Amino acid sequence: MESKKFFLQESEIPHAWYNLIPDMPVKPRPMLNPQTKQPLTHEDLYPIFAEEVVRQELNVTDSWIEIPDEVREMYRIWRPTPLVRARGLEKMLDTPAHIYFKNESVSPVGSHKLNSAIAQAYYCKKQGVTNITTETGAGQWGAALSLAAKHFGLELAVYMVKVSYHQKPYRRSIMQTYGAQVIASPSMSTKAGRKIITEQPNCQGSLGMAISEAVELAMATPGCKYTLGSVLNHVSLHQTVIGLEAEKQMEMAGEYPDIVIGCFGGGSNFAGITFPFMRHKFSGKYNTRFIAAEPASCPKLTKGVFQYDYGDEAGYTPMIPMLTLGHGYTPANIHAGGLRYHGAGSIVSQLMQDGFMEAVDIPQLETFKAATMFAQSEGIIPAPESSHAIATAIREAIKAKEEGVKKTILFNLSGHGLIDMAAYDQYISGDLRNYEVTDEDVAAATSSLEKLI
Amino acid sequence: MESKKFFLQESEIPHAWYNLIPDMPVKPRPMLNPQTKQPLTHEDLYPIFAEEVVRQELNVTDSWIEIPDEVREMYRIWRPTPLVRARGLEKMLDTPAHIYFKNESVSPVGSHKLNSAIAQAYYCKKQGVTNITTETGAGQWGAALSLAAKHFGLELAVYMVKVSYHQKPYRRSIMQTYGAQVIASPSMSTKAGRKIITEQPNCQGSLGMAISEAVELAMATPGCKYTLGSVLNHVSLHQTVIGLEAEKQMEMAGEYPDIVIGCFGGGSNFAGITFPFMRHKFSGKYNTRFIAAEPASCPKLTKGVFQYDYGDEAGYTPMIPMLTLGHGYTPANIHAGGLRYHGAGSIVSQLMQDGFMEAVDIPQLETFKAATMFAQSEGIIPAPESSHAIATAIREAIKAKEEGVKKTILFNLSGHGLIDMAAYDQYISGDLRNYEVTDEDVAAATSSLEKLI
C-alpha cells in the first residue's frame, strides 16, 4: 500500500458535463416512440422525466452542458475524488504496467451514482415535482437517490430487485435511513408486477422488471416523475465528471492512459470514466483502448444482438437501439446486482458497432479473486460490480508483464463493497459459482426481435 | 448538506504524536505488576507487547514522539482527514451553534482505528515478530489491524466478542477478506475462554474476556505479540494525529472550539480528538470543555469507581488505576460494541478526577435518533459508537439555542456505520430498547475492589 494519490482542488470540480454525441463520427440512431415507431420527441418523454432531463437526453448538438450551482455545491461534499496509482497492486502482480484508479467509492453513499442522482433530483425539485420513483439493483443507485431526494425534500419510492432486496438487506436499510420507501420487485403494487408474479410466482426480479414498476407508478401518480440510474444519455452525461477530473489528474501524474476500463451494467460509470478520454480518440490525438467489463452471466456487449429493444421488461419505455439480450432476459443471481441488465445504451451500442471500444465478459469467481487481491494490496474492499473492472485491469497488467511492455492502465472504482460482505463470505467459504450464457441462450432470448444490422 | 470542508495538504500530516502526560498537572498513578503490586517496569511488559510500544507506554517525559516514515507513508492513504462544518445539521437543529466534525470514517476500514493499528503492526514487524493477536468488539479495531497486519506481512488472530460476531457478520468477513483469522470469544481455544464457557455456557462475551484470550494466546506462542486497540497510553498517543490535524483545521475555519466531544469505550478516539486541545487548557490559554460520551448501559465515567483494576476479565493484564465498573462487568448487548468496556485508561481517569473533562451517558435510542438526523442532514451514516458523540453535540447545540448563545462545538466522527445497518434496521422497525444501569448494579460489580480515593 505505497499507493500515490492525486488530488484536485474543489475549484477544479468541472463546471460543465461533457456530451459525447456531437463529437461522435456516427451518431446513435434515435430512440423510437413504441406506439408510432417514430423518432422520440421531447413531448413523448415529458410525462415520464423532468423536462430539463428530457432536453439533455435528446441534446445532440451541445458538447458542454453547464452544471447548476446547486448541483455543484452538493458535489463538493465528496468531489473531486482522488485518482490513485495502485502501487500495492502493481507490486503484487510484479507488472511493468502502471495501474491507476479513480476512486468514486468515497462518496457518502459509496459509489459514483450520486453524480447523477443529485442532478436528477435537483431538476425534479426545480420543476415543482413532489414525488419521484426509481428502480435499483444492488441498491447503489437507490441509496444515492434516497440521499439526493432527502436533500431536495422529495418523497421517493424505490423498486429494488427482489434478489438484491434479500441478498443486500443493509442497502435497503440505508435507503430507509435516508427516508425512502423501498419495495421488493416484482411487487403487487403495479400492473406490471402483478402480471409477472402471476406468471412466475417465485420470480426474483430483474432491473428491467423494476423499471417497469417504477415507470408505471410515476405515470399513474400526479406530481410524480421517474428517474433512471443508467442506460440513458443524460445519465452518462452527468457521470462525465469522473473522466473530466481523471483527465486532469492523469496530467498531474504525467501520464496518459493506454487503456481505460469500466465495469458495465447499463453503462453509467463506464461512460463517466471513458467519454472524456474518447473525444481524443475521435480527434486522432490518442489511440486509447476502451474496455467495458461485463459479467459472463449477462454478456450483452460480447454476445448480444444490435436491435431496437425496450429498456424494461413490460415494454413501457421508448425503444432504444441497443446491444441486447432481449428485454425479457433474466440474468443469473450474481452478486454484482448492478450489472444484471439486459441491454446497453444507444451511445455505447453505436461505439461498439464502430470499433471505438471493446468488451470482455468475466466469470464471477475471477471477479472475487481480483477483489480480494485489490483489498489486500490497496486496502479498499471493492463492490462486486467494480471488481469486474479490477479483474480486467489485472488481466491487462499480466499481459503487459508477459509481453514485457510498460502500459498505463486506468480503471474506475465505481464503488466500495462494504454492503456486499455476504458475497465475500460466500466466496471465502467456497460457496460461490460461475454462470455461463451460451449462444443458444442468447438466440432464444432475442429470437422474437428483428436485428438492426 | 451545504457543509463546508477544510482540507490539509499531505505534507501537513503530523510528523510526531503528542504525549499528554508530561504536560499533565497531576500525573496518572503508575500501572502495577499484578504479582508484586509494584509499579510496572519495561521488563514486565516486554513479553506481551512490542518493545517500542512498551517504551511509548511508559514514557512520561517526552511530549513529542516522532512518527516513523513507514507509518506516515501509510497514513497518506487516507490522511489528512477532512474537518467538516456540519451546516446541514445546524440548519436542521436551527441552532446558533457552529458544529464541526473531524471525519475519521474516510479511512479504508471506515474508522480511526487504523491510526494505531499501523503503528503497532509496524513496531512488531520491525522487531521480527511474525504473529500477532488482538481482541475486537464491533470489529472496527480488528478490521484495522487485519489490514495493517497484511501490509506488514504478519499473521493475525482476532478474538471477536461473541455478540458482535453474530450481530456484525460483515465486519468478520472484512477481517477475513484482509486475511486474518477470526475467533468468536469466549472460545474453547484458551484457558480463560474455556473457564468462562464452562461457568456460563451462553455467555455472549465482552471486550475484557476477549482481551484475556488474546493475551493468553500471545504469551503462549513464540514470536507472537499482543496488540490492543484502546485504553493504554500508547494507543491514545497514536490517535493524537486526529486532534493535531483538527487544531490546524479549526484555525483555517477561524474558530476555536468551546466544546470538544468524543465517544468513549476505552478512550482511544476521545484521546485522539481531545488531548492536543487539552494542553491549551492546562496552560490556561483556553477554557475548553471536554465531554466523553458513553453508553447509559456502560457508564464507567459517570457511575464507576476509581480504583486499581484489571484491563481484562481473567486478570492477566497489569493493574490499571481506572474509573471502572469492575473487570467482571458484562455490559448489555447494545449495538455500539466498541463502547462495551468496563474501564477507562489511566490518563482519562486522572483527568476526570482533576476536573479537566466531564462525561455524559446516553441511552441507545437517543444515539440512533441522533444518527438518523446526522445521516439525513450530512449524508454520512455514522457508527453506533460515534453516534454517542453526535447525540452529545446535538444536546449542546440545542442548549446553545435555548440560551441564545453562539457556541463552537467539535466532535470526532470516529467511524461510519455501513457495517451496522442491521442495528439501523432494528431502530427503524421499533425493535431497539434502552438499557439502564443502577447504582446498585455498579456497587455489586465493584464491591470486591478497594477504592483508590
Side-chain angles (χ1 to χ4, degrees), chain B residues 89-99 259 261 289 291 366 369-370 373 389-409:
Chain B
L89 183 60
E90 290 173 14
K91 206 167 154 183
M92 187 183 260
L93 297 170
D94 188 24
T95 176
H98 290 191
I99 306 175
I259 304 171
I261 301 164
R289 285 174 62 205
I291 310 178
E366 182 179 343
K369 186 181 173 195
M373 291 171 72
I390 298 171
T392 307
I394 289 176
R395 282 186 184 183
E396 293 294 332
I398 290 173
K399 209 185 293 172
K401 184 185 175 186
E402 289 166 354
E403 295 170 358
V405 291
K406 187 234 149 198
K407 283 267 166 63
T408 300
I409 301 169

Side-chain angles (χ1 to χ4, degrees), chain A residues 235-256:
Chain A
V235 185
S236 299
L237 175 78
H238 301 153
Q239 294 295 353
T240 57
V241 289
I242 302 171
L244 292 168
E245 286 181 7
E247 199 186 346
K248 285 190 199 172
Q249 288 163 310
M250 289 301 302
E251 251 175 62
M252 290 168 71
E255 304 207 59
Y256 193 89

Side-chain angles (χ1 to χ4, degrees), chain A residues 84 118 120 125 176 183 198-199 220 246 251 343 347 354 409:
Chain A
V84 184
I118 290 169
Q120 293 190 49
K125 183 67 182 181
Q176 291 171 328
I183 309 108
T198 307
E199 290 169 5
E251 251 175 62
I347 298 175
D354 298 337
I409 300 168

Side-chain angles (χ1 to χ4, degrees), chain A residues 157-273:
Chain A
V158 182
Y159 285 91
M160 184 172 190
V161 177
K162 202 168 270 175
V163 58
S164 293
Y165 187 91
H166 294 299
Q167 267 180 352
K168 300 175 198 285
Y170 284 17
R171 209 164 259 130
R172 166 179 55 72
S173 305
I174 290 174
M175 293 184 259
Q176 291 171 328
T177 298
Y178 287 139
Q181 301 296 315
V182 187
I183 309 108
S185 168
S187 78
M188 296 298 282
S189 67
T190 64
K191 218 172 87 183
R194 284 192 296 273
K195 181 163 182 290
I196 297 161
I197 290 177
T198 307
E199 290 169 5
Q200 314 166 51
N202 294 318
C203 177
Q204 291 302 297
S206 70
L207 277 167
M209 293 176 198
I211 293 172
S212 293
E213 294 207 88
V215 170
E216 186 184 320
L217 181 63
M219 305 270 287
T221 310
C224 185
K225 296 288 172 193
Y226 168 70
T227 62
L228 182 66
S230 193
V231 185
L232 294 178
N233 300 348
H234 68 275
V235 185
S236 299
L237 175 78
H238 301 153
Q239 294 295 353
T240 57
V241 289
I242 302 171
L244 292 168
E245 286 181 7
E247 199 186 346
K248 285 190 199 172
Q249 288 163 310
M250 289 301 302
E251 251 175 62
M252 290 168 71
E255 304 207 59
Y256 193 89
D258 299 305
I259 303 171
V260 183
I261 300 165
C263 66
F264 200 94
S268 78
N269 99 90
F270 176 80
I273 188 79

Side-chain angles (χ1 to χ4, degrees), chain B residues 11-191:
Chain B
S11 58
E12 295 174 282
I13 296 171
H15 286 78
W17 294 300
Y18 170 62
N19 181 11
L20 185 72
I21 299 173
D23 290 337
M24 288 174 73
V26 182
K27 311 292 181 228
R29 295 172 194 229
M31 291 190 281
L32 303 181
N33 178 314
Q35 274 81 49
T36 65
K37 300 281 183 330
Q38 291 302 304
L40 208 65
T41 65
H42 289 72
E43 286 66 29
D44 289 332
L45 287 177
Y46 285 157
I48 308 180
F49 294 106
E51 291 184 7
E52 179 56 29
V53 160
V54 173
R55 284 189 287 273
Q56 292 177 358
E57 182 61 30
L58 300 180
N59 187 329
V60 296
T61 49
D62 301 317
S63 293
W64 298 96
I65 312 274
E66 200 186 320
I67 303 176
D69 284 346
E70 292 83 349
V71 172
R72 218 170 154 273
E73 182 62 28
M74 270 198 82
Y75 280 174
R76 289 176 57 251
I77 294 174
W78 79 102
R79 305 208 70 86
T81 62
L83 179 81
V84 185
R85 166 95 183 266
R87 287 206 175 131
L89 183 60
E90 290 173 14
K91 206 167 154 183
M92 187 183 260
L93 297 170
D94 188 24
T95 176
H98 290 191
I99 306 175
Y100 292 84
F101 64 92
K102 179 71 168 164
N103 188 359
E104 289 291 306
S105 79
V106 299
S107 93
V109 294
S111 85
H112 72 292
K113 291 290 190 186
L114 206 48
N115 296 325
S116 186
I118 291 169
Q120 294 190 49
Y122 167 73
Y123 290 125
C124 284
K125 183 67 182 181
K126 201 179 157 200
Q127 191 182 324
V129 167
T130 54
N131 292 53
I132 57 178
T133 70
T134 200
E135 80 297 326
T136 199
Q140 298 270 27
W141 167 250
L145 194 68
S146 299
L147 179 54
K150 173 56 67 178
H151 177 74
F152 289 111
L154 300 165
E155 293 298 323
L156 167 64
V158 181
Y159 286 91
M160 184 173 189
V161 176
K162 202 169 272 176
V163 58
S164 293
Y165 187 91
H166 295 300
Q167 266 180 352
K168 301 175 198 285
Y170 283 19
R171 209 165 260 128
R172 166 179 55 73
S173 304
I174 291 174
M175 293 184 260
Q176 291 170 328
T177 298
Y178 287 138
Q181 302 296 315
V182 186
I183 309 107
S185 169
S187 79
M188 296 298 282
S189 68
T190 64
K191 219 172 86 184

Side-chain angles (χ1 to χ4, degrees), chain B residues 88-319:
Chain B
L89 183 60
E90 290 173 14
K91 206 167 154 183
M92 187 183 260
L93 297 170
D94 188 24
T95 176
H98 290 191
I99 306 175
Y100 292 84
F101 64 92
K102 179 71 168 164
N103 188 359
E104 289 291 306
S105 79
V106 299
S107 93
V109 294
S111 85
H112 72 292
K113 291 290 190 186
L114 206 48
N115 296 325
S116 186
I118 291 169
Q120 294 190 49
Y122 167 73
Y123 290 125
C124 284
K125 183 67 182 181
K126 201 179 157 200
Q127 191 182 324
V129 167
T130 54
N131 292 53
I132 57 178
T133 70
T134 200
E135 80 297 326
T136 199
Q140 298 270 27
W141 167 250
L145 194 68
S146 299
L147 179 54
K150 173 56 67 178
H151 177 74
F152 289 111
L154 300 165
E155 293 298 323
L156 167 64
V158 181
Y159 286 91
M160 184 173 189
V161 176
K162 202 169 272 176
V163 58
S164 293
Y165 187 91
H166 295 300
Q167 266 180 352
K168 301 175 198 285
Y170 283 19
R171 209 165 260 128
R172 166 179 55 73
S173 304
I174 291 174
M175 293 184 260
Q176 291 170 328
T177 298
Y178 287 138
Q181 302 296 315
V182 186
I183 309 107
S185 169
S187 79
M188 296 298 282
S189 68
T190 64
K191 219 172 86 184
R194 284 192 295 274
K195 181 164 182 290
I196 297 162
I197 290 177
T198 307
E199 291 169 3
Q200 314 166 50
N202 294 318
C203 177
Q204 291 300 298
S206 70
L207 278 166
M209 294 175 195
I211 293 172
S212 293
E213 294 206 88
V215 170
E216 185 183 321
L217 181 64
M219 305 271 287
T221 310
C224 186
K225 294 290 171 191
Y226 167 69
T227 62
L228 182 66
S230 193
V231 184
L232 294 178
N233 300 348
H234 68 275
V235 186
S236 299
L237 175 78
H238 300 153
Q239 294 293 353
T240 57
V241 289
I242 303 171
L244 292 168
E245 286 181 7
E247 199 186 346
K248 285 189 200 171
Q249 288 163 311
M250 288 301 302
E251 252 174 61
M252 290 168 70
E255 305 206 60
Y256 194 89
D258 298 304
I259 304 171
V260 183
I261 301 164
C263 66
F264 200 94
S268 78
N269 99 90
F270 176 80
I273 189 76
T274 60
F275 285 5
F277 290 98
M278 206 168 290
R279 70 192 203 273
H280 303 305
K281 181 157 182 162
F282 294 155
S283 74
K285 192 170 170 194
Y286 292 104
N287 191 24
T288 310
R289 285 174 62 205
F290 299 98
I291 310 178
E294 63 183 5
S297 56
C298 193
K300 65 243 179 195
L301 296 177
T302 51
K303 292 199 172 74
V305 296
F306 186 44
Q307 61 192 20
Y308 271 105
D309 195 4
Y310 295 102
D312 70 320
E313 199 273 347
Y316 291 154
T317 70
M319 303 194 72

